[in-house]
Amino acid sequence: MSVSLIQKYNVPGPRYTSYPTVPYWEEDLFSADLWKKTFLKSFKESNETEGISLYIHLPFCESLCTFCGCNKRITKRHDVEDPYILAVLKEWNIYCDLLPEKPIIKEIHLGGGTPTFFDPKNLEALINGIFLRATKAKDHEFSFEGHPNNTTRTHLQTLYNLGFRRVSFGVQDYSEKVQKAIHREQSFHNVAKVTFWAKEIGYTSVGHDLIFGLPFQTIEDVIDTIDKTKSLLPDRLAFYSYAHVPWIKGNGQRGFKDEDVPKDDAKRQLYEEGKKRLAEHNYHEIGMDHFALETDSMFESFQKQKLHRNFMGYTSSKTKLMIGLGVSSISDSWYSFAQNEKTIEEYYDRLEKNELPVFRGHILTEEDLIIRKHILNLMCQFTTSWEAKEDFFPEIPEIKEQLHEMETDGLIKISSNSITVTEKGKPFVRNICMAFDLRLKRNAPQTQLFSMTV
């Protein structure tokens, strides 16, 4: 990857887990009543044919990882578990009271925070409570995130017995210096232990999350981490770019100096070397930041053009309706987005009033729906087209003109009715999507809202 391309395209840009992105939601046009109307519309259209998805946010962590941008509450007190589980189940029951029939759940993802902060019995109570008023889809896919330092075999066995078959473990990097800087010290032994337990129990997809661009990280660190990862043979990997946004996330990302973080060409070299090493180990690049073995469902989904992206990240299948439960969770009805209260106290207070705890959101316009489809196509399949009349919009010629330079640089191929990302262009897919982001173009931010694309 040439230095000139990095310098040209290394600009702040969204990761496009949604369109419009959260800073461009029209919150003044949103209301809880409109959210109810749109999620009920989506539910009626899709529950019987494809089911629904649940994202459940479990925010507690025993210590702060300084690379993390998630909503979390740091505590060593585990008496917070019971009231939180009860609150999430109360929120679920409020939703169920509104639904005209029993929901069919195709996907569940437990995210955090640290889901394995919770005692296995409490996680069991949570999932059993959900299914008191729901049924499992035959082809369901349930997953959770585990911390290698506190995931027990009982966690894995309990969730497996409840139907979970996919687990991802946060690894980040095996360098002791890097781990100390990001306050995430965990041994290769701990990662190996939980990985082997998951495989022995029968999980069909074990994932590891790695990060490049961390403070003090070197090419040797990346190679060592990926080689150690290969020895454990996870089914899929996330290889994320570290988003250094301390102006948004506050002091949590100030455990090191700015000059300790690799930038520009140095950071891109970490990615290039890591990507090369993953290819040598038979991992295929899937979408943005993700890699999978050919035996993993994500690879199969990518091949069949069924890969989907939402606030849970990449998923192997799509449901029109995703309900987010728990503090700060974001729901997606396809026609609208809604986010829950961001503090536990406000979340509890709204539930005490028997209200859905949403505090902001966005109702998608017809234009939003078209743009969203193109961005999803690019993020999931590296190509999009406007052959169908309903996929065309007036700004297409302007977008093609804007992307001409990227075509000259060999990042994309443009035809009369399509755009395809080249192998060389995959690292710049966020930049390519930005050309379609009409809301961003019409109202450029005055301050930096997003992490750098490179």
Side-chain angles (χ1 to χ4, degrees):
M1 185 66 61
S2 71
V3 175
S4 61
L5 283 180
I6 294 168
Q7 291 172 340
K8 182 187 291 189
Y9 296 114
N10 189 25
V11 296
R15 289 176 182 257
Y16 291 111
T17 49
S18 75
Y19 181 83
T21 56
V22 175
Y24 289 94
W25 287 2
E26 293 179 321
E27 297 179 34
D28 56 332
L29 301 179
F30 175 83
S31 69
D33 285 340
L34 281 174
W35 163 241
K36 290 176 186 177
K37 188 177 295 184
T38 59
F39 87 71
L40 284 171
K41 170 180 166 65
S42 181
F43 179 84
K44 291 172 184 176
E45 290 174 350
S46 62
N47 184 52
E48 288 188 7
T49 55
E50 63 183 22
I52 72 168
S53 299
L54 293 185
Y55 171 77
I56 305 176
H57 191 73
L58 302 172
F60 302 109
C61 301
E62 288 195 342
S63 63
L64 176 68
C65 302
T66 58
F67 65 87
C68 179
C70 300
N71 182 292
K72 62 269 180 184
R73 178 69 63 91
I74 309 302
T75 181
K76 293 186 182 295
R77 292 179 49 192
H78 284 264
D79 57 356
V80 298
E81 294 184 36
D82 286 343
Y84 190 80
I85 296 293
L86 290 173
V88 170
L89 289 176
K90 181 169 185 178
E91 182 186 3
W92 173 238
N93 282 323
I94 293 174
Y95 272 107
C96 289
D97 287 342
L98 296 169
L99 299 177
E101 60 189 33
K102 213 170 190 182
I104 300 168
I105 299 179
K106 185 172 185 179
E107 293 182 315
I108 294 178
H109 183 71
L110 306 182
T114 306
T116 48
F117 172 98
F118 285 76
D119 186 275
K121 290 183 179 178
N122 281 330
L123 295 177
E124 183 176 27
L126 170 64
I127 301 304
N128 284 338
I130 293 292
F131 282 103
L132 287 176
R133 302 189 66 177
T135 57
K136 292 179 187 176
K138 290 180 180 179
D139 57 345
H140 64 270
E141 183 174 313
F142 299 168
S143 59
F144 73 98
E145 300 164 12
H147 192 315
N149 284 355
N150 66 16
T151 300
T152 64
R153 189 172 184 116
T154 305
H155 278 113
L156 290 161
Q157 188 65 62
T158 298
L159 289 168
Y160 182 87
N161 294 345
L162 292 165
F164 285 72
R165 294 296 181 268
R166 187 165 69 80
V167 56
S168 60
F169 296 114
V171 174
Q172 326 322 338
D173 189 281
Y174 285 115
S175 161
E176 291 182 7
K177 185 176 184 179
V178 173
Q179 288 188 2
K180 186 174 182 180
I182 63 175
H183 203 227
R184 178 64 178 249
E185 297 179 58
Q186 62 193 18
S187 66
F188 174 73
H189 171 77
N190 281 356
V191 179
K193 180 175 62 178
V194 294
T195 298
F196 290 140
W197 279 345
K199 291 188 174 191
E200 287 171 2
I201 288 169
Y203 282 80
T204 55
S205 182
V206 179
H208 287 184
D209 292 346
L210 312 179
I211 297 179
F212 67 91
L214 292 168
F216 305 112
Q217 194 179 46
T218 65
I219 286 179
E220 290 73 25
D221 294 330
V222 169
I223 291 172
D224 178 64
T225 294
I226 289 177
D227 286 351
K228 282 186 169 72
T229 299
K230 166 61 169 62
S231 72
L232 303 180
L233 209 64
D235 301 279
R236 66 175 70 169
L237 293 164
F239 190 43
Y240 293 116
S241 168
Y242 166 57
H244 188 57
V245 287
W247 60 90
I248 295 176
K249 293 301 179 182
N251 293 329
Q253 290 192 358
R254 286 293 186 185
F256 38 84
K257 299 176 182 176
D258 282 346
E259 56 264 32
D260 298 329
V261 180
K263 296 179 182 67
D264 300 331
D265 188 43
K267 183 177 181 182
R268 204 70 219 166
Q269 286 179 9
L270 298 177
Y271 169 79
E272 292 295 327
E273 189 57 44
K275 180 179 173 180
K276 175 185 171 185
R277 207 73 170 184
L278 289 169
E280 290 171 355
H281 294 325
N282 299 316
Y283 286 95
H284 298 267
E285 190 169 15
I286 309 294
M288 183 182 75
D289 305 329
H290 286 69
F291 299 79
L293 297 175
E294 289 186 5
T295 51
D296 189 75
S297 62
M298 181 171 280
F299 177 81
E300 181 183 355
S301 180
F302 179 71
Q303 292 293 99
K304 293 181 177 179
Q305 298 190 336
K306 291 184 177 180
L307 195 66
H308 184 55
R309 184 170 174 82
N310 56 27
F311 288 103
M312 296 192 292
Y314 283 108
T315 62
S316 298
S317 59
K318 169 187 169 291
T319 63
K320 184 174 281 189
L321 176 61
M322 181 190 76
I323 295 176
L325 302 176
V327 63
S328 79
S329 283
I330 298 179
S331 299
D332 177 357
S333 76
W334 192 256
Y335 306 109
S336 64
F337 303 119
Q339 183 172 22
N340 281 354
E341 298 286 357
K342 297 179 78 171
T343 71
I344 292 173
E345 290 76 16
E346 289 170 309
Y347 174 70
Y348 285 170
D349 182 61
R350 294 288 298 278
L351 290 171
E352 280 292 317
K353 298 173 183 175
N354 293 312
E355 298 173 354
L356 285 179
V358 299
F359 84 103
R360 66 173 175 177
H362 177 83
I363 306 300
L364 279 78
T365 65
E366 288 299 319
E367 179 187 88
D368 289 338
L369 290 168
I370 296 172
I371 301 299
R372 178 189 198 182
K373 183 176 180 180
H374 287 295
I375 287 177
L376 276 174
N377 288 342
L378 289 166
M379 296 295 288
C380 295
Q381 303 301 335
F382 294 123
T383 187
T384 193
S385 72
W386 44 93
E387 289 178 305
K389 184 179 179 180
E390 62 267 22
D391 295 332
F392 184 85
F393 57 99
E395 290 80 3
I396 288 279
E398 178 187 328
I399 290 170
K400 289 173 68 177
E401 180 63 29
Q402 182 183 345
L403 289 171
H404 177 70
E405 190 170 357
M406 285 191 173
E407 185 177 38
T408 302
D409 288 333
L411 306 184
I412 57 175
K413 293 180 179 178
I414 303 176
S415 75
S416 60
N417 56 19
S418 71
I419 290 172
T420 301
V421 183
T422 65
E423 190 66 31
K424 184 179 179 181
K426 286 181 180 179
F428 300 100
V429 68
R430 289 165 69 184
N431 301 78
I432 298 163
C433 289
M434 286 167 67
F436 283 82
D437 191 337
L438 298 185
R439 288 183 177 271
L440 178 66
K441 290 158 81 170
R442 291 166 182 161
N443 186 17
Q446 300 303 305
T447 58
Q448 187 171 335
L449 299 176
F450 308 107
S451 62
M452 304 300 280
T453 57
V454 179

